[in-house]
Amino acid sequence: MSNVTVCARFRPLSSKEKRDHGENICIRSLDSETFVLKDEKEEEFTFSFDRVFYEGSEQADVYKFLAFPIVQDACNAINGTIITYGQTGAGKTYSMEGTSILDCHEQNKGLLPRVVDGLFHCLESADNTTKYTVNLSMVEIYMEKIRDLLDLSKDNLQIKEGKVKGIFLSGATEVSISDRTEALRHLSSGIANRAVGETQMNMASSRSHCAYIFTVQQEEKNERRVKMGKLILVDLAGSEKAERSGAEGRVLEEAKTINKSLSALGNVINALTNGSPGKTNHIPYRDSKLTRILQDALGGNSRTALLCCCSPSTSNASESLSSLRFGARAKHIKTSPRVNFSETKIDKKNLVPSPTKNESYERIL
Ligand code: ADP
Ligand code: MG
């Protein structure tokens, strides 16, 4: 069993926060894992995470700590999930994409381009008895509908569960990527498609969840089965409360749907962490598309990391507090990452019995 890795990241104060509220910071660092948050009422809350990234932290450090081990595992056919959580403007997309997906300055690169580098680095250093195939899908969940960002004509993808594949998006475009440049080109056009949809639907990316899904398939010369690791990166919609933005009409409906899927996520986390030992309680994965897509990441065979992005400003202390509480609960989730065998390569009259779904390998983490 492996615990979900949970980190907090505080961005620098924004110029708006400085202008409107001064330089009032609500956090005091104790060490690289622990800090105290003081809310507007001067009440103090201490949090401990696997790592805390303060305002001077480098994008590379976040990648190294949070994502690198998961990327390595994905190259060894172990599923992984990396999620960014927090209120709008807290730094989720900055952490995920960087200043722009195509900005290759070392300082600015976010998790996504680094994951691509990491994947291809692993694959290029593998011995030549293994053939790797990397595929990418990109989807957005908005108002409980899943839109294919690599083909905008597919605007209502359905979630299915297969014996071999586990949870998957039926009919989602999967592009094969053979190198970094190709990967970045597809990511960038998917991200641009997100913006096109936004203007058509009058939607801001802060109101939808975005999932980047990489699958790494490995065929070994003398092995009759294929191994497959799925790596999902999720940039969640803003977690702020609906009332705060004074929303009305459609915007209020959007906010409620987001709150519904994020509370469904919270409920799944509660159900996973509140169960009494030895008893299997009902986990409400089916309450939202988001929790269904993340089913493996939360309760299944995935190695999972959560980055709670927060503003350090006292004016945002209550939103930061709720994001951090979410992270603190997620820290108790345990998953069972293991090597996935996906399908039989040669089927010569069943010389060997067919593998069962996600058959365990000798390496149980
Ligand atoms: P979110 O996706 O959570 O809504 P963004 O990632 O878009 O928020 O961040 C909001 C703004 O803050 C952007 O202008 C971004 O460049 C900046 N920002 C966020 N995190 C950092 C950081 N760690 N360092 C510097 N700037 C940051
Ligand atoms: Mg964003």
Side-chain angles (χ1 to χ4, degrees):
M1 294 291 261
S2 151
N3 269 83
V4 170
T5 301
V6 181
C7 299
R9 184 178 199 185
F10 294 94
R11 61 157 166 75
L13 279 173
S14 68
S15 35
K16 186 172 185 305
E17 284 167 338
K18 283 190 200 163
R19 191 181 62 234
D20 297 351
H21 307 282
E23 308 222 351
N24 298 316
I25 300 251
C26 64
I27 42 149
R28 188 174 77 247
S29 154
L30 298 180
D31 58 38
S32 60
E33 293 164 10
T34 313
F35 61 91
V36 176
L37 180 140
K38 196 194 266 188
D39 72 4
E40 286 106 330
K41 296 179 206 128
E42 306 270 305
E43 199 175 341
E44 294 202 337
F45 303 84
T46 305
F47 287 93
S48 269
F49 290 114
D50 292 290
R51 183 60 58 93
V52 187
F53 300 99
Y54 298 103
E55 72 165 84
S57 63
E58 302 275 340
Q59 296 275 52
D61 294 336
V62 179
Y63 172 75
K64 249 184 255 164
F65 188 86
L66 192 94
F68 177 66
I70 295 183
V71 171
Q72 279 200 313
D73 275 351
C75 296
N76 289 315
I78 295 168
N79 292 342
T81 312
I82 301 166
I83 304 168
T84 54
Y85 184 94
Q87 74 177 120
T88 298
K92 298 180 297 296
T93 304
Y94 177 85
S95 298
M96 194 57 97
E97 293 172 17
T99 36
S100 140
I101 191 76
L102 295 177
D103 180 347
C104 39
H105 284 98
E106 188 47 34
Q107 255 183 310
N108 302 335
K109 274 166 73 176
L111 291 170
L112 259 179
R114 288 176 200 272
V115 160
V116 168
D117 287 348
L119 279 179
F120 284 101
H121 182 77
C122 272
L123 307 193
E124 281 153 12
S125 48
D127 62 56
N128 57 9
T129 61
T130 312
K131 183 180 164 241
Y132 284 98
T133 320
V134 183
N135 286 329
L136 169 72
S137 296
M138 269 180 80
V139 298
E140 178 173 58
I141 312 174
Y142 173 67
M143 300 288 276
E144 285 300 278
K145 263 191 166 183
I146 306 174
R147 206 158 65 102
D148 190 331
L149 289 174
L150 297 176
D151 179 352
L152 289 180
S153 68
K154 300 177 186 170
D155 61 0
N156 193 10
L157 295 174
Q158 301 301 310
I159 303 170
K160 300 242 161 93
E161 190 167 3
K163 267 201 162 166
V164 171
K165 284 198 202 173
I167 305 274
F168 69 98
L169 291 164
S170 177
T173 307
E174 264 195 292
V175 286
S176 162
I177 47 179
S178 51
D179 57 33
R180 294 171 175 82
T181 318
E182 204 176 13
L184 291 181
R185 189 166 51 78
H186 286 302
L187 284 168
S188 146
S189 72
I191 290 169
N193 272 343
R194 201 177 180 196
V196 171
E198 276 169 21
T199 31
Q200 283 167 356
M201 292 196 270
N202 189 24
M203 166 182 72
S205 60
S206 60
R207 279 172 266 154
S208 65
H209 313 291
C210 189
Y212 308 86
I213 306 163
F214 295 90
T215 46
V216 184
Q217 188 169 303
Q218 278 179 56
E219 281 177 56
E220 269 160 56
K221 260 190 190 153
N222 301 320
E223 174 62 77
R224 52 180 294 285
R225 292 177 295 183
V226 176
K227 286 192 224 163
M228 194 170 76
K230 188 162 66 173
L231 177 55
I232 311 182
L233 283 84
V234 187
D235 185 355
L236 290 175
S239 59
E240 60 274 6
K241 288 174 202 78
E243 314 86 78
R244 202 173 171 202
S245 51
E248 282 175 34
R250 183 186 179 89
V251 178
L252 180 63
E253 280 313 303
E254 279 173 348
K256 280 191 192 157
T257 317
I258 295 161
N259 282 359
K260 215 175 117 198
S261 64
L262 289 176
S263 28
L265 183 59
N267 293 341
V268 164
I269 292 176
N270 281 345
L272 285 167
T273 53
N274 286 346
S276 33
K279 267 194 178 174
T280 43
N281 56 335
H282 170 70
I283 314 290
Y285 292 115
R286 286 176 186 269
D287 283 3
S288 78
K289 298 266 161 69
L290 177 68
T291 45
R292 190 87 171 106
I293 289 180
L294 292 179
Q295 182 165 341
D296 283 340
L298 299 166
N301 64 339
S302 168
R303 211 165 203 214
T304 301
L306 174 71
L307 183 65
C308 291
C309 299
C310 299
S311 152
S313 169
T314 303
S315 61
N316 279 313
S318 66
E319 288 296 347
S320 298
L321 182 60
S322 83
S323 298
L324 296 165
R325 281 182 165 151
F326 180 89
R329 271 189 288 151
K331 228 166 100 64
H332 299 292
I333 301 176
K334 286 191 193 312
T335 58
S336 319
R338 60 180 175 263
V339 172
N340 295 308
F341 286 104
S342 85
E343 56 206 53
T344 315
K345 228 173 22 177
I346 320 154
D347 200 12
K348 283 188 184 161
K349 291 199 174 169
N350 282 334
L351 289 174
V352 188
S354 289
T356 52
K357 179 191 167 193
N358 293 335
E359 184 183 345
S360 300
Y361 195 50
E362 57 266 24
R363 187 170 162 211
I364 306 282
L365 301 176

